[in-house]
Amino acid sequence: MRTDLERFFNPSAIAVIGASQDLATISGQPLKFLKSHGYKGKLYPVNPRYPEVMGYQCYPSLAELPEAPDLALILVNASRVADVLRQCGAKGVPYVIIFSSGFSEMGGEGVKLQEELIAIASEHDIGVVGPNCQGMMNLADSVYAGFGSVFNSAYEPGPVSMVSQSGGFGFSVMSLSSTDGGLPFRQVVTTGNEIGVSTLDFIDYFIRDPRTEIVVGYIEGLKDARRLLEVGEKALAAKKPILMWKVGNTELGQQAARSHTANLGGAMALYKAAFKQAGILQVEDIQDVVDYGRAFRCGRLPRGNRLAIITITGGGGILMTDECIARGMEIPRLAPQTVEKLRGFVPSFGSLLNPVDVTAAIFNNTELINQTLQAIIDDPSVDCVAMINASLQGELAALVATQIVAVAKNTDKPILLAWSARDVVAQEAYGMLDAARIPHYKSPVRCGRALAALSWYAEALRRNGRTRAEAPLTLSSSTARRAVASATGDVSEYSAKRILAAYGIPVTREEPATSREQALAAARRIGYPVALKVQSPDIPHKTEARAVRLGIASDAELAAGYDEVIANARAYKASARLEGVLVQEMAGEGVEASLGAVNDPLFGPAVMFGLGGIFAEVLKDVSFRLAPLTPSSARGMIEEIKGYPVLAGARGRAPADVDALADALVRLSAAAVDLEDCFAELDVNPLFVFEKGRGVKAADALIKPKTRDEVTQ
Amino acid sequence: MRTDLERFFNPSAIAVIGASQDLATISGQPLKFLKSHGYKGKLYPVNPRYPEVMGYQCYPSLAELPEAPDLALILVNASRVADVLRQCGAKGVPYVIIFSSGFSEMGGEGVKLQEELIAIASEHDIGVVGPNCQGMMNLADSVYAGFGSVFNSAYEPGPVSMVSQSGGFGFSVMSLSSTDGGLPFRQVVTTGNEIGVSTLDFIDYFIRDPRTEIVVGYIEGLKDARRLLEVGEKALAAKKPILMWKVGNTELGQQAARSHTANLGGAMALYKAAFKQAGILQVEDIQDVVDYGRAFRCGRLPRGNRLAIITITGGGGILMTDECIARGMEIPRLAPQTVEKLRGFVPSFGSLLNPVDVTAAIFNNTELINQTLQAIIDDPSVDCVAMINASLQGELAALVATQIVAVAKNTDKPILLAWSARDVVAQEAYGMLDAARIPHYKSPVRCGRALAALSWYAEALRRNGRTRAEAPLTLSSSTARRAVASATGDVSEYSAKRILAAYGIPVTREEPATSREQALAAARRIGYPVALKVQSPDIPHKTEARAVRLGIASDAELAAGYDEVIANARAYKASARLEGVLVQEMAGEGVEASLGAVNDPLFGPAVMFGLGGIFAEVLKDVSFRLAPLTPSSARGMIEEIKGYPVLAGARGRAPADVDALADALVRLSAAAVDLEDCFAELDVNPLFVFEKGRGVKAADALIKPKTRDEVTQ
């Protein structure tokens, strides 16, 4: 794949294939906009019907152009795109944008047409953007190569680069975001059906682009989703935050419903897990893009998550406290020396607790802001500061802004403001803040969300540093790989546990037996009490068939139990192939956990964790991570579920062995990586987690190998 | 309490007590703003220091005014407020606003001062607003009686009335909400410490006020919270939606932590329950106020929750689908005849499913919008329509808007638009939509939220109609009331269950016994198997003391068991007072539920429901309702918990007897109402819910009576 996307965004010549003289139509707009926004390179309309378009010489075919342009815009009917693409290949065009619709989004014939395009692009090494997209804007260099209402206006360029799978909506986000002192963009590209250059290719380029500081993505789904971790890590290393807007949860959730475990969270759970692991911030509306982007533009990150709030209105302070605490920030007590300082000037009916309420007394004495802010900035227990100025406006607002700017100059702690005055009545104040890159928001809720985003990202950077220091566990078992690869159907309990044991996951002691005598001998070796379970590929639900006996305590009970479970199994299903019984140690008392791994078609191996039974299956209280896991990410996924207190020792229980549980998760993830070519699903359910220091033990397991189709995919 | 608040909002004369000639200060501002905004009544500044202020004759004291004003604004120092309030009483002033700070918010001396004010107000029947507030605005009649930056501007009046406990933030909400074609307000009042006229008094007035159509509240806590249901029902009857912004969750949560059951959800859970029961819509940011308010101003409500989406950009459609499905709306398949119609004009690469994607082909043919919208409006399976126009702008936008307005005229189904063009490039289109009261939003997310709000409110109206048709269950037991009222400590298992049984809640069969012989006789009457539990006020945790035996199957086991539990109890605590044992039937297999009632100091009796053990205590998967419950609201609270599938029959279980469970909840709520004067907490845990048709049975219970302090409060 071509990666010299600088040429794509800043081409020295552009061909517009299918350019129309009707400038209102889709095929008329790109040339019009390129010209009206002052594109500096050469423009070559191509259309056999016209001698010229908009004053440019028009060529009957691409072959007749005097040079190979860096970029061709393809605006012809879907049925003719393949031909045109071949001509681009022959001419040596490195990049094309296919605007035309009528491909895979249409199904049927469209899918075939699209496959043809992929083949042609591959043959000629053409970097294809689209089809079914609305083009690209390089605002910094005035390249407006697309169509749509948004292209009518020019936008102030800035340091934000965005890739969007949706054309219409993507440009709307850019347009609204850059309005009214919002977030200025550098380049925006829409990728549509994305048969060539992908969202992650563009993000990867933005990370390398020296003039991009913040990356925004709008996606419906990623064909190369498993690259998310790698791209995320590059972005963290470059300290360029990625704001990701993922939509289409409901549909994708259904798509991925085929495997039982992934079904618990749907594919969205894997996206969320990947974003979290990769330090990619999720956004949920246009306002988030603007608000978070503005926060990052201040160029400061908090050292920790401790926030101090200063407010002139108690209401705003409470609101921000709610918002920030809900998003994992801390609102600490201020240091005693800070409180002492504040006592000198905050009115007695104000509050010296955090939030510090200086009250409307600000109207009688604006010095209050300056003094309070400085005292709090100096407090070593504070990592960042929010100030809430309600609707202060006019001269008073300008006075206050001057003081804030002065204090901000002498600290590297982020200061964010919630300031609700309308733009028209606080222009001077807002202008000063903008010049000093001090982010301000119209509501405490939005300010709180932006602060929490900064704090989350700073923590992701710190966490990434720690995780990189951990050596990833790599395990390999050729025996296990052979066993899974050669399986013709589900690998059931006994064999599945042998395979898991090969990766060091503790399993119950057990032996298969095909006669009463063998079972007796096995039970004596294992030691009473034991469990007996009928083994049959035809009886998946052994309990339902009453083909399980637990807590067998003696030879006599065992003999009777053997006869009973065999008889029950026969009665349940006369045709069942019986392979004898499994004699198993009783696992003992522990918390039941459910561990799983899926081999997701998009993400590759991923690990799931939850408590057993209802907790995972009904309440969906589960967590996901892409494999491989480090010990600290395994801890993270254990602590993330709501039921975690059960393991930590809720309701008078002794704390469970969470270290051993984390180790089992790490080993399961390593197994999933080792078995990637051949497994579809690994299930360990239940895994008993014993008291701290006593380990874990898998009591049942199931491995689904890849079906032949999946293997050859 | 005075309720003629028309006089408060539209006074014919206002005294400004403590008016200052320094117009920048808090005490200088109200007179300045009243004058500058053209207040039409009489103004009487009162201050012994000046002969005149701003050209008005200034009076040395209130007594010397030529008349009793309808409203007095009190701007003097906290220490002088009581005197001034007495003068207001003597003069016969019906309403005052106390702006001064320094009362209960300060603690200590401030609390005493505030109590004095309450006494004076009560003695003279003065309607007090404040103290510690920022005043009031009646925008419709140009009464700007307050201070703060927001008062510098004049605002277009409209049909929205708002009460806010926060002064600074409340006025900020109004100011921002009414900006740029937002939501116009009729009257706004801030109530601060709220010692007199309360938030609910104002809301009650707004419901009666013929010119108010939409009510907004911003609250930190309600002293008269139990009136929420009554006020909510009045609002539903008047079809005036209430948008409620409740903040301060974290603090209030701690306050209410004293009672174990309420602790599960904190008081915020009761607010949420009350809002839900009362049809009050919760909002979470200024944008919600504007967006929901604009949706309600269209004057249309959907008949059901079925939404059709038309979009010119696939991305926007997906986004809105996610948002609306997450908020409980349905995106149904369109009727076959609708799809047939659409096939005639939607491009083949568009989508005829819901969302209907007409694609960017709109640029080539604007008729598409008109035709598609009309076809979908005519579909009987559609209750409301959203249309997503991305960033359409200029002439094209105006054309499209004309068509939408035309279609909207001939239907009463709500049509909401997501339209992301900036205001400056779509003024004409937006102007037409505003004139026709067609709500439009800059992002599909906001449009989706607003639609869901409309739909939620319409459903609340329908539900209220249904609920009112149900006769509320009233139960009364003087025996039970006496038992709880006379209890000197917690009422434990046996007695608590007798009390619950008096209200018709099924309990296990059981008999107390003080000797082995009595126990044997009881067990024979009850029938084996039985359980034995030691009864002692000094052993609250019987299992821990090994003073419980379950599943006793014969006389011999019973005799042995009796000796054993008595001995264990003695060994556990030698000094324990033993009252014998409880002989109890074994309840049998069922789903364990946890039912509770709290007697909340703010809300009165409220009922809690959850599954037993970890589900309620660790996962906090519980629901709340204020008592009394109707059968359908009990069903609602059962179905609301995430664990509901366990009762409905998840994982191969038979469905549980949800009807009997709902009946038990209704009875528990009736008991809580009957016992309101004397109980603090009713706990039924576990209540076994058997298979459908087999009922429920309380296996353990505890009643905490009110302490002496609480009773005399």
Side-chain angles (χ1 to χ4, degrees):
Chain A
M1 174 61 63
R2 298 187 156 275
T3 54
D4 52 342
L5 287 163
E6 166 70 16
R7 263 174 102 187
F8 168 80
F9 281 112
N10 203 1
S12 64
I14 302 176
V16 185
I17 304 169
S20 166
Q21 282 183 336
D22 181 347
L23 303 183
T25 63
I26 293 175
S27 47
Q29 292 184 38
L31 190 68
K32 177 180 76 174
F33 292 131
L34 280 164
K35 180 176 181 183
S36 66
H37 289 289
Y39 169 61
K40 293 183 195 68
K42 292 207 188 93
L43 284 170
Y44 300 112
V46 177
N47 193 331
R49 284 196 283 168
Y50 310 119
E52 64 85 33
V53 182
M54 289 198 78
Y56 296 102
Q57 184 186 345
C58 186
Y59 295 81
S61 77
L62 195 63
E64 289 167 67
L65 257 54
E67 60 174 321
D70 285 336
L71 176 63
L73 312 183
I74 301 181
L75 293 152
V76 301
N77 193 283
S79 61
R80 292 178 44 223
V81 170
D83 266 357
V84 168
L85 194 57
R86 269 191 210 95
Q87 291 164 29
C88 288
K91 188 77 183 180
V93 178
Y95 287 104
V96 306
I97 301 178
I98 305 176
F99 292 78
S100 327
S101 298
F103 296 94
S104 66
E105 78 278 14
M106 211 178 81
E109 194 56 32
V111 176
K112 276 192 208 151
L113 278 178
Q114 182 161 308
E115 276 162 15
E116 194 183 349
L117 299 189
I118 294 171
I120 301 167
S122 162
E123 186 189 339
H124 296 280
D125 192 23
I126 305 172
V128 174
V129 176
N132 190 26
C133 75
Q134 280 185 230
M136 164 271 275
M137 269 188 201
N138 173 347
L139 298 89
D141 301 301
S142 302
V143 187
Y144 282 63
F147 74 88
S149 285
V150 162
F151 284 77
N152 281 297
S153 309
Y155 304 86
E156 193 68 31
V160 183
S161 289
M162 171 172 179
V163 52
S164 165
Q165 290 181 336
S166 170
F169 193 67
F171 283 118
S172 296
V173 172
M174 182 282 292
S175 165
L176 279 176
S177 296
S178 58
T179 310
D180 299 336
L183 199 61
F185 282 71
R186 165 160 166 65
Q187 45 215 357
V188 182
V189 60
T190 66
T191 58
N193 296 7
E194 210 167 279
I195 67 168
V197 191
S198 73
T199 293
L200 291 181
D201 290 328
F202 278 115
I203 291 181
D204 197 299
Y205 169 72
F206 295 150
I207 295 168
R208 283 176 282 123
D209 172 26
R211 289 188 293 166
T212 293
E213 294 168 15
I214 296 168
V215 177
V216 179
Y218 178 96
I219 58 168
E220 290 163 18
L222 296 174
K223 288 172 188 156
D224 48 357
R226 55 194 314 159
R227 285 173 58 203
L228 265 172
L229 292 194
E230 167 215 326
V231 170
E233 193 158 313
K234 279 188 198 172
L236 287 172
K239 296 206 172 153
K240 296 189 182 182
I242 300 175
L243 310 182
M244 189 66 90
W245 195 347
K246 165 75 179 74
V247 303
N249 316 344
T250 39
E251 279 174 322
L252 274 176
Q254 285 165 353
Q255 261 186 39
R258 49 176 143 162
S259 122
H260 168 67
T261 311
N263 207 6
L264 288 172
M268 191 61 194
L270 294 185
Y271 278 100
K272 281 194 173 168
F275 296 152
K276 190 181 301 168
Q277 281 174 277
I280 294 172
L281 255 172
Q282 267 194 273
V283 293
E284 286 162 13
D285 200 357
I286 299 171
Q287 201 165 61
D288 286 348
V289 174
V290 180
D291 289 353
Y292 296 3
R294 284 171 59 98
F296 284 113
R297 287 202 74 200
C298 83
R300 302 170 180 202
L301 288 175
R303 290 212 188 82
N305 71 344
R306 299 167 305 170
L307 169 68
I309 301 171
I310 307 166
T311 182
I312 69 166
T313 162
I318 294 171
L319 193 54
M320 188 174 288
T321 303
D322 283 352
E323 195 66 27
C324 289
I325 283 182
R327 292 169 183 271
M329 297 192 77
E330 220 184 302
I331 317 277
R333 281 188 163 273
L334 300 175
Q337 69 270 25
T338 310
V339 176
E340 211 38 61
K341 275 188 227 165
L342 294 176
R343 209 182 298 281
F345 39 83
V346 171
S348 57
F349 45 85
S351 167
L352 306 181
L353 296 173
N354 185 6
V356 175
D357 184 357
V358 298
T359 79
I362 183 75
F363 286 101
N364 298 336
N365 170 20
T366 56
E367 282 294 305
L368 251 178
I369 289 288
N370 188 359
Q371 296 167 316
T372 310
L373 185 54
Q374 188 63 56
I376 284 172
I377 284 287
D378 292 341
D379 191 317
S381 60
V382 168
D383 299 312
C384 51
V385 178
M387 176 174 280
I388 304 170
N389 285 339
S391 294
L392 279 190
Q393 64 184 58
E395 279 177 45
L396 193 60
L399 263 172
V400 168
T402 312
Q403 297 177 4
I404 294 170
V405 170
V407 176
K409 262 201 192 111
N410 297 311
T411 176
D412 59 356
K413 293 182 183 177
I415 301 175
L416 276 71
L417 307 178
W419 199 326
S420 307
R422 292 170 300 149
D423 289 334
V424 288
V425 295
Q427 268 172 332
E428 197 186 342
Y430 289 170
M432 282 190 268
L433 296 174
D434 290 339
R437 291 270 176 86
I438 297 173
H440 53 99
Y441 303 90
K442 289 289 195 299
S443 94
V445 174
R446 289 171 56 185
C447 183
R449 284 173 69 97
L451 264 164
L454 272 191
S455 178
W456 185 93
Y457 181 70
E459 169 59 23
L461 281 175
R462 292 191 295 269
R463 191 178 53 228
N464 192 49
R466 290 195 303 270
T467 308
R468 288 165 62 102
E470 290 179 303
L473 180 68
T474 309
L475 297 173
S476 174
S477 164
S478 53
T479 323
R481 282 199 306 274
R482 262 198 312 276
V484 177
S486 63
T488 52
D490 291 357
V491 181
S492 61
E493 178 163 6
Y494 179 68
S495 311
K497 284 200 269 188
R498 292 311 101 201
I499 292 167
L500 294 172
Y503 295 99
I505 296 170
V507 299
T508 43
R509 277 194 72 186
E510 61 199 22
E511 292 184 29
T514 54
S515 70
R516 194 188 300 129
E517 291 64 39
Q518 278 184 14
L520 273 166
R524 288 187 196 128
R525 275 190 295 273
I526 291 166
Y528 291 108
V530 297
L532 273 188
K533 300 173 171 180
V534 159
Q535 299 294 289
S536 165
D538 305 315
I539 304 181
H541 301 296
K542 297 187 274 280
T543 308
E544 198 180 296
R546 299 192 299 131
V548 171
R549 280 230 17 205
L550 303 176
I552 290 175
S554 66
D555 285 359
E557 279 187 43
L558 186 110
Y562 183 89
D563 296 344
E564 185 187 328
V565 296
I566 295 286
N568 286 348
R570 287 234 167 83
Y572 180 73
K573 192 171 188 180
S575 66
R577 291 164 291 174
L578 298 189
E579 299 169 347
V581 299
L582 195 61
V583 184
Q584 190 172 80
E585 70 168 320
M586 290 298 295
E589 294 243 324
V591 178
E592 283 188 39
S594 169
L595 278 54
V598 283
N599 205 348
D600 188 83
L602 292 175
F603 286 94
V607 177
M608 188 277 303
F609 166 71
L611 297 183
I614 291 165
F615 296 96
E617 291 173 31
V618 176
L619 301 184
K620 315 241 186 293
D621 184 24
V622 294
S623 56
F624 287 89
R625 292 288 187 282
L626 305 192
L629 288 176
T630 62
S632 63
S633 54
R635 283 301 289 228
M637 74 185 291
I638 295 167
E639 289 168 13
E640 187 179 307
I641 65 164
K642 285 193 189 151
Y644 175 65
V646 173
L647 290 163
R651 306 188 80 216
R653 286 175 194 264
D657 200 334
V658 174
D659 290 334
L661 174 59
D663 186 59
L665 279 166
V666 169
R667 289 177 180 279
L668 186 68
S669 84
V673 172
D674 192 45
L675 297 171
E676 183 176 351
D677 290 339
C678 51
F679 92 101
E681 207 177 312
L682 311 176
D683 273 323
V684 187
N685 184 7
L687 176 98
F688 285 98
V689 188
F690 302 114
E691 278 185 23
K692 199 169 171 57
R694 305 205 167 175
V696 299
K697 209 168 263 180
D700 200 356
L702 184 77
I703 297 178
K704 286 180 191 289
K706 265 189 188 169
T707 64
R708 199 61 48 90
D709 270 6
E710 287 168 327
V711 174
T712 54
Q713 235 174 18
Chain B
M1 173 62 63
R2 298 187 155 274
T3 53
D4 52 343
L5 287 162
E6 165 72 16
R7 263 176 102 187
F8 168 80
F9 282 112
N10 204 1
S12 64
I14 302 177
V16 185
I17 304 169
S20 167
Q21 282 183 336
D22 181 349
L23 303 183
T25 62
I26 293 174
S27 46
Q29 292 184 38
L31 190 66
K32 178 179 76 172
F33 292 131
L34 280 164
K35 180 177 182 183
S36 67
H37 289 288
Y39 170 63
K40 293 182 196 71
K42 291 208 187 93
L43 285 170
Y44 301 112
V46 177
N47 192 334
R49 284 196 282 170
Y50 311 119
E52 64 84 33
V53 182
M54 289 198 78
Y56 296 101
Q57 183 187 346
C58 187
Y59 295 81
S61 78
L62 195 64
E64 290 168 65
L65 259 54
E67 61 175 319
D70 284 336
L71 175 63
L73 312 182
I74 301 181
L75 293 153
V76 301
N77 194 284
S79 61
R80 293 179 42 223
V81 170
D83 265 358
V84 168
L85 194 58
R86 268 190 211 96
Q87 290 164 30
C88 289
K91 188 77 184 178
V93 178
Y95 287 105
V96 305
I97 301 178
I98 305 176
F99 292 79
S100 328
S101 297
F103 295 94
S104 66
E105 78 278 13
M106 211 177 83
E109 194 56 32
V111 177
K112 275 193 210 150
L113 278 178
Q114 182 162 309
E115 276 161 14
E116 193 182 351
L117 299 189
I118 295 171
I120 299 166
S122 161
E123 184 189 338
H124 296 280
D125 192 21
I126 304 172
V128 174
V129 176
N132 189 26
C133 73
Q134 280 185 231
M136 166 270 278
M137 269 189 201
N138 173 347
L139 296 91
D141 300 302
S142 304
V143 187
Y144 282 63
F147 73 90
S149 284
V150 163
F151 284 77
N152 281 297
S153 310
Y155 304 85
E156 193 67 31
V160 183
S161 289
M162 172 173 177
V163 53
S164 165
Q165 289 180 338
S166 169
F169 193 67
F171 282 118
S172 295
V173 172
M174 182 280 293
S175 165
L176 279 176
S177 298
S178 57
T179 309
D180 298 336
L183 199 62
F185 282 71
R186 164 159 167 67
Q187 46 214 357
V188 181
V189 60
T190 66
T191 58
N193 296 6
E194 210 167 278
I195 66 168
V197 191
S198 73
T199 292
L200 291 181
D201 290 328
F202 279 115
I203 291 182
D204 197 300
Y205 169 71
F206 295 150
I207 296 167
R208 283 177 281 124
D209 173 24
R211 287 188 293 165
T212 293
E213 293 168 15
I214 297 168
V215 178
V216 180
Y218 177 97
I219 58 168
E220 290 163 18
L222 296 174
K223 287 172 189 156
D224 47 357
R226 56 193 315 159
R227 284 174 57 202
L228 265 172
L229 293 194
E230 166 215 327
V231 170
E233 193 158 314
K234 279 189 197 169
L236 287 173
K239 296 207 172 150
K240 296 189 182 182
I242 301 176
L243 309 182
M244 189 66 91
W245 196 346
K246 164 73 179 74
V247 304
N249 317 342
T250 40
E251 279 174 323
L252 274 176
Q254 286 164 354
Q255 262 187 39
R258 50 176 141 158
S259 121
H260 168 66
T261 310
N263 206 6
L264 289 172
M268 191 60 194
L270 295 185
Y271 278 101
K272 281 194 173 168
F275 295 154
K276 190 180 302 168
Q277 282 173 277
I280 294 171
L281 256 171
Q282 267 194 274
V283 294
E284 287 161 13
D285 200 358
I286 299 171
Q287 201 164 60
D288 287 348
V289 174
V290 181
D291 289 354
Y292 296 3
R294 284 171 59 97
F296 283 112
R297 288 201 75 201
C298 82
R300 301 170 181 203
L301 288 174
R303 289 212 189 82
N305 70 344
R306 298 167 306 170
L307 170 68
I309 302 172
I310 307 167
T311 181
I312 69 166
T313 163
I318 295 170
L319 193 54
M320 188 175 288
T321 303
D322 283 353
E323 195 66 28
C324 290
I325 284 181
R327 292 170 182 272
M329 297 192 78
E330 219 183 304
I331 318 277
R333 281 186 164 275
L334 300 175
Q337 68 270 25
T338 310
V339 175
E340 212 37 61
K341 276 189 227 164
L342 293 176
R343 210 183 298 283
F345 40 84
V346 171
S348 56
F349 45 86
S351 167
L352 304 182
L353 296 172
N354 186 7
V356 175
D357 184 359
V358 299
T359 79
I362 182 78
F363 286 102
N364 299 334
N365 170 21
T366 55
E367 282 294 305
L368 254 178
I369 290 287
N370 188 357
Q371 296 168 317
T372 310
L373 186 54
Q374 188 63 56
I376 285 172
I377 283 288
D378 292 340
D379 191 317
S381 60
V382 168
D383 300 312
C384 51
V385 178
M387 177 175 278
I388 305 170
N389 285 339
S391 294
L392 279 189
Q393 63 184 61
E395 280 177 44
L396 193 60
L399 263 172
V400 169
T402 312
Q403 296 177 4
I404 296 170
V405 169
V407 175
K409 263 200 192 112
N410 297 311
T411 176
D412 59 357
K413 294 182 183 177
I415 301 176
L416 275 71
L417 306 178
W419 200 327
S420 306
R422 292 170 301 151
D423 290 333
V424 288
V425 295
Q427 268 172 332
E428 198 187 342
Y430 290 169
M432 282 189 268
L433 297 174
D434 290 339
R437 291 271 176 87
I438 298 173
H440 52 99
Y441 303 90
K442 289 289 196 299
S443 93
V445 175
R446 290 171 55 186
C447 183
R449 287 172 67 98
L451 264 164
L454 272 192
S455 178
W456 185 93
Y457 180 70
E459 170 59 25
L461 281 175
R462 291 192 295 268
R463 192 177 53 228
N464 192 50
R466 290 195 303 271
T467 309
R468 288 165 63 103
E470 291 179 302
L473 181 68
T474 309
L475 297 173
S476 172
S477 164
S478 53
T479 322
R481 283 199 307 273
R482 262 197 311 275
V484 177
S486 63
T488 52
D490 291 357
V491 181
S492 60
E493 180 162 5
Y494 179 70
S495 311
K497 284 200 269 189
R498 290 312 99 200
I499 291 167
L500 294 173
Y503 294 99
I505 296 170
V507 299
T508 43
R509 279 194 70 188
E510 61 199 23
E511 293 185 27
T514 53
S515 70
R516 192 187 302 128
E517 292 64 38
Q518 278 184 10
L520 271 167
R524 287 187 197 131
R525 274 190 296 272
I526 291 166
Y528 291 107
V530 296
L532 274 188
K533 300 173 171 180
V534 159
Q535 299 295 290
S536 165
D538 304 316
I539 305 182
H541 301 294
K542 295 187 275 279
T543 309
E544 198 180 296
R546 299 191 301 129
V548 171
R549 279 228 19 205
L550 302 177
I552 290 173
S554 65
D555 285 0
E557 279 186 45
L558 187 113
Y562 183 90
D563 295 344
E564 186 187 327
V565 296
I566 294 286
N568 286 349
R570 288 237 166 81
Y572 179 74
K573 193 171 187 181
S575 66
R577 292 165 288 174
L578 299 189
E579 299 170 348
V581 298
L582 195 60
V583 184
Q584 191 171 76
E585 69 168 319
M586 291 298 294
E589 294 241 323
V591 178
E592 284 188 38
S594 169
L595 278 54
V598 284
N599 205 347
D600 189 83
L602 291 176
F603 286 93
V607 176
M608 188 276 302
F609 165 72
L611 296 184
I614 290 165
F615 296 96
E617 290 173 32
V618 175
L619 302 183
K620 317 238 186 296
D621 183 24
V622 294
S623 56
F624 287 88
R625 291 287 187 285
L626 305 191
L629 288 175
T630 63
S632 63
S633 54
R635 284 300 290 229
M637 74 186 291
I638 294 168
E639 289 168 14
E640 186 180 307
I641 66 164
K642 285 192 189 153
Y644 174 65
V646 173
L647 291 164
R651 306 188 80 218
R653 286 173 193 265
D657 200 334
V658 174
D659 290 335
L661 174 58
D663 186 60
L665 278 165
V666 169
R667 288 176 181 279
L668 185 68
S669 84
V673 172
D674 192 45
L675 297 170
E676 183 177 349
D677 290 340
C678 50
F679 93 102
E681 206 177 312
L682 310 176
D683 274 322
V684 186
N685 185 6
L687 175 98
F688 285 99
V689 188
F690 303 113
E691 278 185 23
K692 199 168 172 57
R694 303 203 168 177
V696 299
K697 209 168 263 181
D700 200 355
L702 184 77
I703 296 176
K704 286 181 190 289
K706 267 190 187 168
T707 62
R708 199 62 47 92
D709 269 8
E710 288 167 326
V711 175
T712 53
Q713 237 174 16

